[in-house]
Amino acid sequence: FGYEKLNLVNEMDSEALDFFNKKQYLEASEVWEDLIKIKTDVAYYLNLIQTLIIIGENEKVEYYINEIENKNLYIGTGKFDYLKALYYQKNENIKKACESFKVSFEKGYDVSKSFLDYNNCFN
């Protein structure tokens, strides 16, 4: 991958995280979008999707969810399923949201539990 590129992606990720922590979500999303063009890393995708959900960029969220699935990038932590569920919830597809929250929770992503309760997914 190369030392220079590694430094570049680390700097860019740090910059995006800084924007995110300052609630400058549009700027953060732009940096992560540029970053994944340089290095394909599921963490960058997940951060990008989370940020896009916050700013309501639903078409982009759907695009990057599909990209993760098509490239088989997601890992078994449950965060991807959680973010997918948030996307479905935001689009009022509660059935799919519940399915994804359940998968996320089963993978050990405990944050999903409150959303399962909130969406009444157990009934």
Side-chain angles (χ1 to χ4, degrees), residues 14-123:
S14 181
E15 178 184 17
L17 286 169
D18 190 44
F19 280 134
F20 185 88
N21 290 331
K22 292 178 181 175
K23 299 184 186 326
Q24 295 174 311
Y25 301 119
L26 181 60
E27 292 84 351
S29 70
E30 290 170 351
V31 175
W32 274 313
E33 280 184 300
D34 290 341
L35 185 53
I36 63 174
K37 292 174 187 170
I38 299 169
K39 184 173 191 265
T40 303
D41 187 313
V42 71
Y44 304 148
Y45 275 92
L46 296 178
N47 289 339
L48 173 59
I49 290 170
Q50 180 176 345
T51 306
L52 293 171
I53 288 171
I54 291 169
I55 61 178
E57 291 280 348
N58 290 336
E59 288 181 19
K60 285 186 175 183
V61 172
E62 184 176 1
Y63 172 82
Y64 288 114
I65 285 173
N66 290 334
E67 195 163 306
I68 285 175
E69 289 177 336
N70 292 337
K71 292 181 177 183
N72 292 319
L73 295 177
Y74 59 96
I75 51 178
T77 65
K79 184 172 182 179
F80 173 69
D81 302 289
Y82 167 78
L83 292 173
K84 204 160 73 164
L86 288 180
Y87 165 74
Y88 290 135
Q89 178 178 301
K90 202 161 192 176
N91 286 293
E92 299 180 13
N93 189 338
I94 302 304
K95 182 180 179 194
K96 282 195 165 197
C98 284
E99 290 170 5
S100 291
F101 281 131
K102 285 177 184 175
V103 170
S104 174
F105 185 68
E106 288 168 3
K107 290 179 178 178
Y109 203 75
D110 293 337
V111 176
S112 294
K113 174 71 168 90
S114 61
F115 287 94
L116 287 166
D117 295 336
Y118 175 80
N119 288 297
N120 205 21
C121 294
F122 294 112
N123 293 331

